[in-house]
Amino acid sequence: MYRWLKHASICTVITLAPQIAWAQQASLNVVATFSILGDFAQEVGGDRIALTTLVGADGDAHVYEPRPADAVALARADVVLQNGLLFEGFLTRLVQASGTSAEIVEVSQGADILDDPQGGHYHYYGDRTVFHAAPYDPHAWQSVANAKVYVENIAQAFCAVDAQGCSTYTANAQDYIDELAALEDEIRAQIAAIPEDRRVVVVAHDAFRYFQRDYGITFLSPQGVSTDSEASAADVASLIREIRAQNASAVFAENISDSRLVEQIAHEAGLELGGTLYSDALSGPDGPAPTYLEMIRHNLSTISAALAVD
């Protein structure tokens, strides 16, 4: 797909434009790289934007391969919203292929960013392992405080391109930031009710370090356990020793990852699979996490239920 995109002329790309339905009345054509950013953009932009999200529900931006229609969307865009921090490895080539003149906005700018202590992390897909190399942890939206920064950056980006709508964007952003502040209060209250000796869990990949830093739940994962396509018996045994040393209380699958690895770990550690957490993508509209607010609440309630004392 990339080979086609890389060598496609802009004329060829534009001929695909009928595949994208743009709202006639919208003031801004906006592209968000993945579903969480798309939700933020819609909250800020409301009816003034026509939104295209490249990596949709339950999709993994780490390994996403663009389609021709994505180049069309970028070619038509006024603003492109990306997380940055090397999260969307596909985007640079896609921008070049599309010939877009849109503002490319890195919405994590100014957020409180963590270093990635191991220089990257792993995603497991059955018999395939994908290593995401980065000097920083890109999953900054798992901190609600950082989500507020994202929203502020999006409002500023929209104002820069559509000055007439700026009052709408800033008002929408402030209303949403107030909702995020209330969400943080919910998180802290629910986690305070979890006994401190039960606040260690296991997840599929290392996407929750911001949640850990801000709210006090420790997440163990297979990151660094193996660079092979599958964790070896020795690797799993090493992680299980850490699980037992830290008295982990539950294991969770993730919506973007193959669950077989965590199921194996749960079985070996004698723990129950506590449900599915949403890390890098929202659910579809009929799922439990179709918006960022619902995603965080779903994750929080799933963790709280699994860690509750019987």
Side-chain angles (χ1 to χ4, degrees):
M1 186 65 66
Y2 260 142
R3 187 173 300 167
W4 184 92
L5 287 170
K6 190 172 182 180
H7 296 290
S9 69
I10 298 304
C11 290
T12 302
V13 171
I14 296 302
T15 60
L16 295 172
Q19 297 181 33
I20 304 294
W22 298 96
Q24 301 259 334
Q25 71 277 17
S27 296
L28 284 182
N29 289 332
V30 177
V31 171
T33 52
F34 66 110
S35 57
I36 293 169
L37 294 194
D39 184 53
F40 291 158
Q42 198 66 71
E43 289 288 345
V44 174
D47 293 339
R48 290 191 68 88
I49 69 169
L51 176 67
T52 297
T53 299
L54 301 184
V55 186
D58 298 313
D60 187 352
H62 291 291
V63 296
Y64 182 69
E65 296 188 9
R67 307 160 301 156
D70 296 336
V72 176
L74 262 69
R76 296 288 301 273
D78 300 303
V79 179
V80 176
L81 303 175
Q82 65 163 324
N83 184 73
L85 305 175
L86 302 182
F87 182 64
E88 304 99 333
F90 63 86
L91 189 61
T92 298
R93 286 177 287 174
L94 184 59
V95 167
Q96 293 172 351
S98 72
T100 185
S101 59
E103 292 293 321
I104 312 295
V105 180
E106 187 171 309
V107 299
S108 62
Q109 285 290 326
D112 188 1
I113 301 302
L114 290 169
D115 290 335
D116 187 337
Q118 297 185 355
H121 58 266
Y122 298 89
H123 292 259
Y124 297 88
Y125 297 88
D127 62 354
R128 184 166 64 100
T129 298
V130 176
F131 179 68
H132 174 67
Y136 303 106
D137 187 332
H139 306 92
W141 60 85
Q142 291 291 346
S143 158
V144 177
N146 281 341
K148 296 176 188 177
V149 176
Y150 280 37
V151 170
E152 290 171 349
N153 287 339
I154 290 169
Q156 291 173 11
F158 290 176
C159 284
V161 180
D162 177 23
Q164 289 185 341
C166 189
S167 60
T168 297
Y169 302 137
T170 54
N172 288 348
Q174 188 55 59
D175 288 346
Y176 189 57
I177 286 170
D178 291 343
E179 291 189 71
L180 292 172
L183 178 63
E184 276 210 294
D185 291 340
E186 292 178 37
I187 295 169
R188 297 187 192 284
Q190 287 198 45
I191 290 178
I194 299 172
E196 291 189 12
D197 63 355
R198 291 185 60 80
R199 297 182 189 176
V200 180
V201 303
V202 182
V203 290
H205 91 292
D206 206 3
F208 294 94
R209 290 177 63 238
Y210 290 93
F211 195 96
Q212 174 175 311
R213 179 194 68 187
D214 288 6
Y215 310 119
I217 297 291
T218 297
F219 293 85
L220 307 178
S221 81
Q223 177 183 359
V225 168
S226 174
T227 59
D228 297 329
S229 58
E230 293 184 2
S232 69
D235 294 328
V236 172
S238 177
L239 179 59
I240 289 169
R241 284 194 294 271
E242 184 178 6
I243 289 169
R244 289 172 176 159
Q246 296 203 43
N247 196 30
S249 298
V251 178
F252 299 98
E254 289 178 43
N255 67 315
I256 64 165
S257 300
D258 190 316
S259 65
R260 286 177 291 181
L261 180 61
V262 291
E263 287 171 355
Q264 177 191 358
I265 291 169
H267 176 75
E268 294 290 336
L271 295 172
E272 295 292 329
L273 202 62
T276 298
L277 301 182
Y278 286 76
S279 53
D280 296 7
L282 303 177
S283 72
D286 296 329
T291 70
Y292 177 80
L293 295 174
E294 290 171 289
M295 180 188 83
I296 296 296
R297 288 191 175 105
H298 167 82
N299 288 350
L300 181 61
S301 64
T302 301
I303 292 169
S304 296
L307 301 187
V309 178
D310 295 330

